[in-house]
Amino acid sequence: MTPELKNRLVFTNRARCRNCYRCLRVCPVKAIRIQNGQAQVEASLCIACGTCRRECPQQAKSFRSDTERVMQWLQEGAEVMVSLAPAYASVYPGDTRECLVGALRQ
């Protein structure tokens, strides 16, 4: 993975993006630009709120997941800390949020 892609949190699946520009209209910080006819997230402006993912009717937005890396660290006995992006709310249903702290500790 290139350093540029390594730092990106939100990705656009070009095959799914249908140029509806809904994500562009709903982004609260205007971090989405049109490049080559498709909506692309500008990593330097993105606050990882999850609005684009939640509002995309084609489900063309996805987030980088470090779950496998963290699971490996835990298996190796490393101490880890969690810094949760605001976008977690768009990934996990409402009921799950109330149990999140306990689940992370476990």
Side-chain angles (χ1 to χ4, degrees), residues 32-77:
I32 300 177
R33 305 281 185 257
I34 303 303
Q35 295 176 348
N36 299 324
Q38 291 198 314
Q40 297 295 319
V41 178
E42 296 222 9
S44 63
L45 300 175
C46 181
I47 60 171
C49 66
T51 302
C52 60
R53 184 172 192 266
R54 185 176 54 250
E55 295 294 326
C56 181
Q58 288 84 23
Q59 298 177 335
K61 297 287 184 272
S62 60
F63 285 91
R64 183 186 81 209
S65 175
D66 293 325
T67 304
E68 288 181 26
R69 183 184 311 175
V70 172
M71 294 302 284
Q72 181 181 355
W73 290 339
L74 290 172
Q75 289 174 352
E76 293 170 356

Side-chain angles (χ1 to χ4, degrees), residues 2-105:
T2 66
E4 178 185 313
L5 292 178
K6 188 176 184 179
N7 293 328
R8 298 195 98 169
L9 294 175
V10 182
F11 298 90
T12 301
N13 180 328
R14 292 182 179 190
R16 287 188 171 183
C17 183
R18 298 288 180 240
N19 305 327
C20 71
Y21 306 129
R22 191 170 184 175
C23 59
L24 180 80
R25 291 190 301 269
V26 300
C27 180
V29 293
K30 308 300 181 207
I32 300 177
R33 305 281 185 257
I34 303 303
Q35 295 176 348
N36 299 324
Q38 291 198 314
Q40 297 295 319
V41 178
E42 296 222 9
S44 63
L45 300 175
C46 181
I47 60 171
C49 66
T51 302
C52 60
R53 184 172 192 266
R54 185 176 54 250
E55 295 294 326
C56 181
Q58 288 84 23
Q59 298 177 335
K61 297 287 184 272
S62 60
F63 285 91
R64 183 186 81 209
S65 175
D66 293 325
T67 304
E68 288 181 26
R69 183 184 311 175
V70 172
M71 294 302 284
Q72 181 181 355
W73 290 339
L74 290 172
Q75 289 174 352
E76 293 170 356
E79 283 191 41
V80 297
M81 294 188 321
V82 174
S83 175
L84 201 58
Y88 85 92
S90 71
V91 177
Y92 298 102
D95 295 347
T96 308
R97 285 183 254 164
E98 296 169 359
C99 304
L100 188 61
V101 174
L104 288 171
R105 284 186 179 147

